[in-house]
Amino acid sequence: MNEHTFELTEVTGTSSSSIEDAIQSAVSRVGKTNREMRWFQVTEIRGAIHEGKASQWQVTVKIGSRME
Amino acid sequence: MNEHTFELTEVTGTSSSSIEDAIQSAVSRVGKTNREMRWFQVTEIRGAIHEGKASQWQVTVKIGSRME
Amino acid sequence: MNEHTFELTEVTGTSSSSIEDAIQSAVSRVGKTNREMRWFQVTEIRGAIHEGKASQWQVTVKIGSRME
Amino acid sequence: MNEHTFELTEVTGTSSSSIEDAIQSAVSRVGKTNREMRWFQVTEIRGAIHEGKASQWQVTVKIGSRME
Amino acid sequence: MNEHTFELTEVTGTSSSSIEDAIQSAVSRVGKTNREMRWFQVTEIRGAIHEGKASQWQVTVKIGSRME
Amino acid sequence: MNEHTFELTEVTGTSSSSIEDAIQSAVSRVGKTNREMRWFQVTEIRGAIHEGKASQWQVTVKIGSRME
Amino acid sequence: MNEHTFELTEVTGTSSSSIEDAIQSAVSRVGKTNREMRWFQVTEIRGAIHEGKASQWQVTVKIGSRME
Amino acid sequence: MNEHTFELTEVTGTSSSSIEDAIQSAVSRVGKTNREMRWFQVTEIRGAIHEGKASQWQVTVKIGSRME
Amino acid sequence: MNEHTFELTEVTGTSSSSIEDAIQSAVSRVGKTNREMRWFQVTEIRGAIHEGKASQWQVTVKIGSRME
Amino acid sequence: MNEHTFELTEVTGTSSSSIEDAIQSAVSRVGKTNREMRWFQVTEIRGAIHEGKASQWQVTVKIGSRME
Amino acid sequence: MNEHTFELTEVTGTSSSSIEDAIQSAVSRVGKTNREMRWFQVTEIRGAIHEGKASQWQVTVKIGSRME
Amino acid sequence: MNEHTFELTEVTGTSSSSIEDAIQSAVSRVGKTNREMRWFQVTEIRGAIHEGKASQWQVTVKIGSRME
């Protein structure tokens, strides 16, 4: 952080396999148009239940990226 | 939520009539340029007071929309 | 509160008209099997968005009722 | 806010009709002796239940007023 | 959520393998007597330490289920 | 906690003598129908005031009990 | 609460004997000039340590009183 | 704190120069009518933006003063 | 706030001199592309430590700006 | 506090008799090796339940002590 | 917890593979000099992003250990 | 953060001049015995009031340092 300003973008990633995968998927999606991502902070972990099982992980993260 | 990523946009809507109307107004404004809104979460309810009356409702919401 | 114990039940009521109506609806539903409800506390206000409008109010409340 | 100091007064307004009305009622009551109120912030929404219905809205607000 | 009321049940699931497994285990247990579960929200992640290792994951979730 | 699931029940106990007694009273009441209680966590301490004195202690606790 | 407005006054009571006594002492002090106190809510429990012992209990409460 | 009761007054001080100055200004204003102030706790830091610059610091503090 | 909607943008400003300067720097950066900024709220104050000294102030703010 | 630095140590004290006793016990234990303790702040109150009774009070406090 | 006092140590563990692994790694590190660890509580989940991927999990936990 | 574990130490620094100075002073004090400090996070800003002025800034920070 060398005197730059960083923007925090809040997104919810989803995955049927794991919490880490839901985060990875959110980071990948934001990375399509943003090449300056540096860190993330988890703000919420939720999920859907289908037929008696946790069927989807929904993890909300704030992604910090350097403003160019 | 079928493996998509959702973005959370935080906005404050205002209205002179009610809390619901302030939210509806924020959703309408964001909807002008975003056709993928799915849900909202209220994060703060405030307001202005004028001549001894609550004259404006200011409601902050996070709007979740699917990233296309 | 005369030395009784009170149970807190957390429920989410829904309504297409207003926040108050969503709460009223949750209280009515719980009241079908519980005749000792005394108070409620709002813990979250959310909602669904459909075709660019807040189409449903989802209000979570804790309902306090006297244990008989 | 032109270099003034503002005092925050926390009050609970009540109403049998709506959340907005409970707030309006609190603002009116405080306004009887305070003519410098400027804004409010909701800190809690609760209510009483009577005969299976939400019979009273109890909304706590902090009212900001300019110190004369 | 079509004008239904949903109940939130708070439970702590445990597992010796992972956070996801502790949640899955809590959902399965509640599902034995409740066939209307829809979603969960994580409220706390803790665990036991035995012989210098995290030996058990204890994850508390609120499970939302439709009241029939 | 040996791979069991635990349910959290939130209750408010009351007492005219002390905070500990209000908790003890809530635990006793829940214990009438639940023999698997293991721990509690205090979530709120309030009370009633009558004739210028704190006349009743109202303590809210979450009681964790093993699901059989 | 019959359509009245209630004011919340935040005070810290102190005592060398117990938490309950610190609260009782704060309620008594406020009661000297306010005869409409109805309830209190604890917001913080702290204390001083002197010669290796907790020597004073300092409990902060919000006291709700009816505005006349 | 020798068995006294302390009152907490919440105020927002403002300044065009710094956060410390906004607090100092709030303390000075409250001190005009209160000679028993002992400590303060910051509860919020906000500000106004004018012509692309933070033009005013608005700092909310709770001021603890001994009740005489 | 005359019935407009306001967007909240969360950014982290950095500075080697002070907290105020880190905020000023974040406001300036956002102002390059946004001419409708009105207020900010501090959400976190952190910093880097280098050779035993706080070498950089990192302040996160939400900036409120009117949606045109 | 004359320009000193204070360290906060977080500990959980336990007692079978009362909340105050659990705190006193934590302070005594820390005091065995630390003679500069000045204040404490309660961060959590929990307890164990045995045979239908709250059998142990577990109170977590942060203890502030002057760094020599 | 048999009338002992427990100390809470807050540490951030890191791992390139998973959240559980970051916690396990923090527990192992603290365990090198502390043989009385009993439980942990997660207080924050963050991470670093490198080349468009979550490259490191950083999990902060409070570890509770018995004071000997 | 290359797979290391970091310890968080919570301290309150004091200064009669500014918030930044109180933090700098806490960092310097901890640095006397710890050469691996990397970052800090502010958790509380308080102060003492003497003769109607904020006479001392008391800032609590968590200091993160690499465990060697």
Side-chain angles (χ1 to χ4, degrees):
Chain A
M1 283 194 178
N2 307 299
E3 310 299 308
H4 290 290
T5 295
F6 297 80
E7 184 163 23
L8 290 164
T9 307
E10 194 165 23
V11 292
T12 303
T14 60
S15 161
S16 57
S17 40
S18 72
I19 291 169
E20 284 87 347
D21 196 54
I23 295 171
Q24 205 58 273
S25 140
V27 170
S28 296
R29 178 61 191 80
V30 173
K32 282 189 186 175
T33 56
N34 178 332
R35 306 190 71 75
E36 297 291 348
M37 300 181 295
R38 300 297 162 89
W39 84 88
F40 65 89
Q41 317 157 208
V42 173
T43 57
E44 189 177 51
I45 301 175
R46 300 170 66 104
I49 300 177
H50 188 62
E51 295 188 356
K53 293 204 171 165
S55 58
Q56 190 187 44
W57 306 94
Q58 301 161 350
V59 186
T60 303
V61 289
K62 288 191 182 177
I63 294 179
S65 47
R66 204 179 67 176
M67 295 180 80
E68 291 165 76
Chain B
M1 283 193 178
N2 306 297
E3 309 299 309
H4 290 289
T5 295
F6 297 80
E7 184 162 22
L8 290 163
T9 307
E10 194 165 23
V11 291
T12 302
T14 60
S15 161
S16 57
S17 41
S18 71
I19 292 169
E20 284 87 346
D21 196 53
I23 294 171
Q24 206 59 271
S25 142
V27 170
S28 295
R29 178 61 192 81
V30 173
K32 281 189 186 174
T33 55
N34 177 332
R35 306 190 72 76
E36 297 291 347
M37 299 180 296
R38 300 298 163 87
W39 84 89
F40 65 89
Q41 316 158 206
V42 173
T43 57
E44 190 177 50
I45 301 176
R46 299 171 67 104
I49 300 177
H50 188 63
E51 296 187 357
K53 292 206 170 164
S55 58
Q56 190 187 45
W57 306 94
Q58 302 161 349
V59 186
T60 303
V61 289
K62 287 191 182 177
I63 295 179
S65 49
R66 204 179 68 177
M67 296 179 81
E68 289 163 79
Chain C
M1 282 195 180
N2 307 297
E3 310 300 309
H4 289 290
T5 294
F6 298 79
E7 184 163 23
L8 290 163
T9 307
E10 195 165 23
V11 292
T12 302
T14 60
S15 161
S16 56
S17 40
S18 71
I19 292 169
E20 284 87 346
D21 196 54
I23 295 171
Q24 205 59 271
S25 142
V27 170
S28 297
R29 178 60 192 80
V30 173
K32 282 189 186 174
T33 56
N34 177 332
R35 305 190 71 75
E36 296 291 347
M37 298 179 297
R38 300 298 162 89
W39 84 88
F40 65 88
Q41 317 157 208
V42 173
T43 57
E44 189 177 51
I45 301 177
R46 299 170 67 104
I49 299 176
H50 188 63
E51 296 188 356
K53 292 204 171 164
S55 58
Q56 190 186 45
W57 306 94
Q58 302 161 349
V59 186
T60 303
V61 289
K62 288 191 183 179
I63 294 178
S65 49
R66 205 180 66 177
M67 296 180 81
E68 290 164 77
Chain D
M1 283 194 179
N2 307 299
E3 309 300 308
H4 289 290
T5 295
F6 297 80
E7 184 162 23
L8 290 163
T9 307
E10 195 166 23
V11 292
T12 302
T14 60
S15 161
S16 57
S17 39
S18 70
I19 291 169
E20 284 86 347
D21 196 55
I23 294 171
Q24 205 60 270
S25 141
V27 170
S28 296
R29 179 61 192 79
V30 173
K32 282 189 186 173
T33 56
N34 178 331
R35 305 189 72 75
E36 296 291 347
M37 298 180 296
R38 301 298 162 88
W39 83 88
F40 65 89
Q41 317 157 209
V42 174
T43 57
E44 189 177 51
I45 302 176
R46 299 170 67 104
I49 300 176
H50 188 63
E51 296 187 357
K53 293 205 170 163
S55 58
Q56 191 187 44
W57 306 94
Q58 301 161 348
V59 186
T60 303
V61 289
K62 287 190 183 177
I63 294 178
S65 47
R66 205 179 66 175
M67 295 181 81
E68 290 164 79
Chain E
M1 283 195 178
N2 306 297
E3 310 300 308
H4 289 290
T5 295
F6 297 80
E7 186 163 21
L8 290 163
T9 307
E10 194 166 22
V11 292
T12 302
T14 60
S15 162
S16 57
S17 40
S18 71
I19 292 169
E20 285 86 346
D21 196 53
I23 294 171
Q24 204 61 270
S25 141
V27 170
S28 296
R29 180 60 192 79
V30 173
K32 281 189 186 174
T33 56
N34 178 332
R35 306 189 71 77
E36 297 291 346
M37 299 180 297
R38 300 298 161 89
W39 83 89
F40 66 89
Q41 317 157 208
V42 173
T43 57
E44 189 177 51
I45 301 176
R46 298 170 67 104
I49 299 177
H50 188 62
E51 297 187 355
K53 292 206 170 164
S55 58
Q56 190 186 44
W57 305 94
Q58 301 162 348
V59 187
T60 304
V61 289
K62 288 192 183 179
I63 294 178
S65 49
R66 205 179 68 177
M67 296 180 80
E68 289 165 78
Chain F
M1 284 196 179
N2 307 298
E3 311 299 308
H4 289 289
T5 294
F6 297 80
E7 185 162 22
L8 290 163
T9 307
E10 195 165 22
V11 292
T12 302
T14 60
S15 160
S16 57
S17 40
S18 71
I19 292 169
E20 284 85 347
D21 196 53
I23 295 171
Q24 205 59 273
S25 142
V27 169
S28 297
R29 179 59 191 81
V30 173
K32 282 190 186 173
T33 56
N34 178 332
R35 305 189 71 76
E36 297 290 347
M37 298 180 296
R38 300 297 162 88
W39 83 89
F40 66 89
Q41 317 156 208
V42 174
T43 57
E44 189 177 50
I45 302 177
R46 299 169 66 103
I49 299 176
H50 188 63
E51 295 186 357
K53 292 205 171 165
S55 58
Q56 189 186 45
W57 306 94
Q58 301 161 350
V59 186
T60 304
V61 289
K62 287 191 183 179
I63 294 178
S65 48
R66 205 180 67 176
M67 296 180 81
E68 290 164 76
Chain G
M1 283 195 180
N2 306 298
E3 310 299 309
H4 290 289
T5 295
F6 298 80
E7 185 162 22
L8 290 163
T9 307
E10 195 165 22
V11 292
T12 302
T14 60
S15 161
S16 57
S17 41
S18 70
I19 292 170
E20 284 86 348
D21 196 54
I23 294 172
Q24 206 59 272
S25 142
V27 170
S28 296
R29 178 62 191 80
V30 173
K32 282 188 187 174
T33 56
N34 178 333
R35 305 190 72 74
E36 296 292 346
M37 299 179 296
R38 300 298 162 87
W39 83 90
F40 65 89
Q41 317 156 207
V42 174
T43 58
E44 189 176 50
I45 301 176
R46 298 170 67 104
I49 300 177
H50 188 62
E51 295 188 357
K53 291 207 171 163
S55 58
Q56 189 187 44
W57 307 93
Q58 301 161 349
V59 186
T60 304
V61 289
K62 288 190 183 178
I63 294 179
S65 49
R66 204 179 69 176
M67 295 180 82
E68 288 163 78
Chain H
M1 283 193 179
N2 306 299
E3 309 300 307
H4 289 289
T5 295
F6 297 81
E7 185 162 22
L8 291 163
T9 307
E10 195 166 22
V11 292
T12 302
T14 60
S15 161
S16 57
S17 40
S18 71
I19 292 170
E20 284 86 348
D21 195 55
I23 294 171
Q24 205 59 272
S25 140
V27 170
S28 297
R29 179 63 192 80
V30 173
K32 282 188 186 173
T33 56
N34 179 331
R35 305 190 71 76
E36 297 290 348
M37 299 180 296
R38 301 297 163 88
W39 83 91
F40 65 88
Q41 317 156 209
V42 174
T43 58
E44 190 177 50
I45 301 176
R46 300 169 66 103
I49 299 177
H50 188 62
E51 295 187 357
K53 292 205 171 166
S55 57
Q56 191 187 44
W57 306 94
Q58 301 161 350
V59 186
T60 304
V61 289
K62 288 191 183 178
I63 294 178
S65 48
R66 204 180 67 177
M67 296 179 80
E68 290 163 76
Chain I
M1 283 193 179
N2 306 297
E3 309 300 308
H4 290 289
T5 295
F6 297 80
E7 185 162 22
L8 291 163
T9 307
E10 195 166 22
V11 292
T12 302
T14 61
S15 161
S16 57
S17 41
S18 72
I19 292 170
E20 284 85 347
D21 195 55
I23 295 172
Q24 205 60 271
S25 140
V27 169
S28 295
R29 179 60 191 80
V30 172
K32 282 189 187 173
T33 56
N34 178 332
R35 305 189 73 75
E36 296 291 347
M37 299 180 296
R38 300 298 162 88
W39 83 90
F40 66 88
Q41 318 157 207
V42 174
T43 58
E44 190 177 49
I45 301 176
R46 300 169 66 104
I49 299 176
H50 188 62
E51 296 187 357
K53 292 206 169 163
S55 58
Q56 191 187 45
W57 306 94
Q58 302 161 349
V59 185
T60 303
V61 289
K62 288 190 184 180
I63 294 178
S65 49
R66 204 180 68 176
M67 295 179 80
E68 290 164 75
Chain J
M1 283 193 177
N2 306 300
E3 310 298 309
H4 289 290
T5 295
F6 297 80
E7 184 162 23
L8 290 163
T9 307
E10 194 166 23
V11 291
T12 302
T14 60
S15 161
S16 57
S17 41
S18 71
I19 292 169
E20 284 85 349
D21 196 54
I23 294 171
Q24 205 59 273
S25 140
V27 170
S28 297
R29 179 61 192 79
V30 173
K32 283 189 186 173
T33 56
N34 178 332
R35 306 189 71 74
E36 297 291 347
M37 298 180 296
R38 301 296 163 88
W39 83 90
F40 65 88
Q41 318 157 206
V42 173
T43 58
E44 190 176 49
I45 302 176
R46 299 169 66 104
I49 300 176
H50 188 63
E51 295 187 358
K53 292 206 172 164
S55 58
Q56 190 187 44
W57 306 93
Q58 301 161 350
V59 186
T60 303
V61 289
K62 288 191 183 177
I63 294 178
S65 48
R66 204 179 67 176
M67 295 180 80
E68 289 163 79
Chain K
M1 284 195 179
N2 306 300
E3 308 300 308
H4 289 289
T5 295
F6 297 80
E7 184 162 23
L8 289 164
T9 307
E10 194 165 22
V11 292
T12 302
T14 60
S15 160
S16 58
S17 40
S18 71
I19 291 169
E20 285 86 348
D21 196 55
I23 295 171
Q24 205 59 272
S25 141
V27 170
S28 296
R29 179 60 191 80
V30 173
K32 282 189 186 172
T33 55
N34 178 331
R35 305 189 72 75
E36 296 291 347
M37 299 181 295
R38 300 299 162 87
W39 83 89
F40 65 90
Q41 316 158 209
V42 174
T43 57
E44 190 177 51
I45 301 175
R46 299 169 67 104
I49 299 177
H50 188 63
E51 296 188 356
K53 292 206 171 165
S55 58
Q56 190 187 45
W57 306 93
Q58 302 161 348
V59 186
T60 303
V61 289
K62 288 190 182 176
I63 294 178
S65 49
R66 205 179 67 176
M67 295 180 81
E68 289 164 78
Chain L
M1 283 193 178
N2 306 298
E3 310 300 308
H4 289 289
T5 294
F6 297 80
E7 185 162 22
L8 290 163
T9 307
E10 195 166 22
V11 292
T12 302
T14 60
S15 161
S16 57
S17 41
S18 71
I19 292 170
E20 284 86 348
D21 195 55
I23 295 171
Q24 205 61 271
S25 139
V27 169
S28 295
R29 179 62 191 78
V30 173
K32 282 189 187 172
T33 55
N34 178 332
R35 306 188 71 75
E36 297 290 346
M37 299 180 295
R38 301 298 162 88
W39 84 90
F40 66 88
Q41 317 157 206
V42 174
T43 59
E44 190 176 50
I45 301 176
R46 300 170 66 104
I49 299 176
H50 188 62
E51 295 187 358
K53 293 207 171 164
S55 57
Q56 190 186 44
W57 306 93
Q58 301 161 349
V59 186
T60 304
V61 289
K62 288 191 182 177
I63 294 179
S65 49
R66 204 178 69 175
M67 296 180 80
E68 289 164 78

